Amino acid sequence: MLLSPGYRRLLLLCVLLGVPIALACFFFVGLQHQLQHWVWTSLPEAAGYDTPPWWWPLPALVLAGLVLAPIVTRMPGAGGHLPVNGLGGPPVGPKALPGAVLAALATLPLGVVLGPEAPLMAVGSGLALLAVRRAGAGGDQRAGAILATAGSTAAISTILGGPVAAAVLLIEGAGLAGAQMVVLLLPCLLASATGSLVFTGFGQWTGLKIGALALPDLPPAANPDAGDFLWGVPTAALIAVLITLARGLGHRTVSWTRRHTAVRTVACATAVGVCVAAYALITGRSPAEAALSGQAALAQLAADPHAWPVGALIALVACKGLAWGIALGSLRGGPIFPSVLLGTATAMACSGLPGFGVTPALALGVAAAAAAVTGLPLSSAVLAVLLTGGDAYDQMPLIVTASVVSFIVSQLVRRTEPETAPRPATGAAA
């Protein structure tokens, strides 16, 4: 199959698709970032506030619920995948793509405590399937599935630090092996590498911020020692328990919103706003730290962890964790970015324990949270390694250990989690 003319044409098509998908993702994320800046920075300043007041999330989240409710109940695809179901599910087709994009652009900037990764994957798969149909190859279901997966991988690679993390995520998530994996992996690698190159270059050319998951400043490097492992293993287990319990809340929220979906979607968005406002009231800090997806707050926490009191970190985990659990089962967006912030905040709150360093805590927090929410320990370790950069070599044993411990503990806790099937989409999915 690898040497067949059809497969070579498929690889070339994946390279060509990487360019428009990357450009679409760039403008999607750039617009979302600009809207977010307007809601949480420009508008409060215009109203005379240096930072958003504690009550700011309440009208913002009520508006998000009012906007999302008709999208979920009336548009094809119901606004995209439910985040409580992870990043899985069938690819989002062209008919469902407008609803997914509209839901993301209309609600993520308002602070629905979710990330952009799932909507980006919807953009990638939807554009890839649209290209297949325009080319008259819609009847080849196998080629369509490969191109949809390649499109999603190209899209997610733009905000996960490049094609390596996205490719490992694919390998582990697909559950395939041998020749089957090679057939699927090569198109995804080519599409994501092309997309990442275009995405990065276009960002430098335009100067627009795109809000990718990155840690430009890190605490001083420190080799992990026995104390880091002594405290790190139970901290990873604690992160897994917290993340999994929040996902359990998400599953219960799905069951609750199946009836009277529109009204209860608004109610859930309002509840998220109350949780975010409570964080601002308790800590006196900006509600944006709890409301948004977590990229900015994670970078601030990594750059200056001592600027965050332990009480503020605990309040962030409690309030944002509760809001995230509700949002997982009712709103639309990605589950990974907020969970990484929750895990990192938990680990940083524990870093004051005797013999537990800040740098090891940061590394294991990222790995443990990602492993708990995705169920992919290898991908989570790779993501933590990419984020910690030059410190990763020394932290790698702790990163891998935390990822494995978190995965095992989350599987044990998840046994008691209610099973919830994805909500049927309104209209055709593709």
Side-chain angles (χ1 to χ4, degrees):
M1 180 180 292
L2 292 177
L3 299 178
S4 65
Y7 188 77
R8 292 199 295 270
R9 287 194 296 268
L10 183 67
L11 294 180
L12 177 60
L13 182 57
C14 287
V15 174
L16 298 176
L17 279 176
V19 176
I21 287 174
L23 291 177
C25 290
F26 177 83
F27 286 110
F28 174 89
V29 178
L31 178 57
Q32 185 242 325
H33 188 274
Q34 292 300 315
L35 292 173
Q36 176 180 298
H37 184 270
W38 182 76
V39 172
W40 296 94
T41 303
S42 300
L43 197 56
E45 289 177 352
Y49 298 101
D50 293 332
T51 58
W54 68 267
W55 51 264
W56 196 263
L58 298 176
L61 269 300
V62 170
L63 177 60
L66 291 172
V67 171
L68 182 62
I71 297 175
V72 170
T73 55
R74 297 178 182 274
M75 292 192 70
H81 298 310
L82 275 169
V84 74
N85 296 320
L87 299 176
V92 174
K95 289 185 179 180
L97 182 58
V101 171
L102 181 59
L105 289 178
T107 63
L108 290 182
L110 294 173
V112 294
V113 200
L114 295 168
E117 60 272 20
L120 277 179
M121 295 181 72
V123 170
S125 65
L127 291 179
L129 289 174
L130 181 61
V132 170
R133 294 184 181 181
R134 292 296 183 188
D140 190 344
Q141 295 184 352
R142 186 173 187 180
I146 291 177
L147 284 172
T149 305
S152 296
T153 310
I156 197 68
S157 71
T158 59
I159 54 170
L160 287 185
V164 174
V168 175
L169 188 74
L170 168 71
I171 292 172
E172 195 172 13
L176 302 176
Q180 286 182 301
M181 175 50 62
V182 174
V183 168
L184 183 58
L185 179 60
L186 293 184
C188 295
L189 274 174
L190 284 174
S192 58
T194 305
S196 181
L197 177 63
V198 173
F199 196 85
T200 304
F202 211 71
Q204 293 174 347
W205 177 54
T206 61
L208 293 174
K209 295 182 179 179
I210 45 89
L213 189 62
L215 301 179
D217 299 302
L218 294 168
N223 292 331
D225 53 23
D228 295 318
F229 278 89
L230 177 65
W231 295 115
V233 170
T235 299
L238 174 62
I239 292 170
V241 171
L242 293 175
I243 295 296
T244 309
L245 289 178
R247 288 186 73 249
L249 175 60
H251 281 290
R252 291 177 173 85
T253 305
V254 174
S255 300
W256 187 68
T257 56
R258 281 205 178 103
R259 298 180 59 192
H260 311 294
T261 302
V263 173
R264 292 183 177 182
T265 296
V266 177
C268 288
T270 304
V272 170
V274 170
C275 294
V276 174
Y279 167 77
L281 270 176
I282 293 169
T283 63
R285 300 174 67 93
S286 171
E289 294 172 351
L292 302 179
S293 61
Q295 301 104 300
L298 181 63
Q300 295 169 6
L301 182 58
D304 191 6
H306 300 293
W308 294 65
V310 173
L313 292 172
I314 294 175
L316 179 65
V317 172
C319 296
K320 188 179 181 72
L322 181 59
W324 181 65
I326 297 171
L328 285 176
S330 57
L331 308 181
R332 296 298 185 271
I336 297 178
F337 284 18
S339 69
V340 170
L341 176 59
L342 290 172
T344 304
T346 303
M348 288 299 191
C350 297
S351 64
L353 295 169
F356 195 11
V358 173
T359 302
L362 172 67
L364 79 87
V366 173
V373 75
T374 64
L376 305 174
L378 176 59
S379 303
S380 303
V382 171
L383 178 62
V385 167
L386 290 175
L387 286 177
T388 50
D391 294 341
Y393 181 81
D394 294 328
Q395 306 301 328
M396 209 171 298
L398 185 59
I399 288 173
V400 173
T401 302
S403 182
V404 172
V405 168
S406 177
F407 172 74
I408 294 174
V409 171
S410 65
Q411 295 302 312
L412 293 174
V413 177
R414 202 168 292 171
R415 288 182 176 181
T416 62
E417 190 176 85
E419 291 293 332
T420 305
R423 182 184 303 166
T426 303

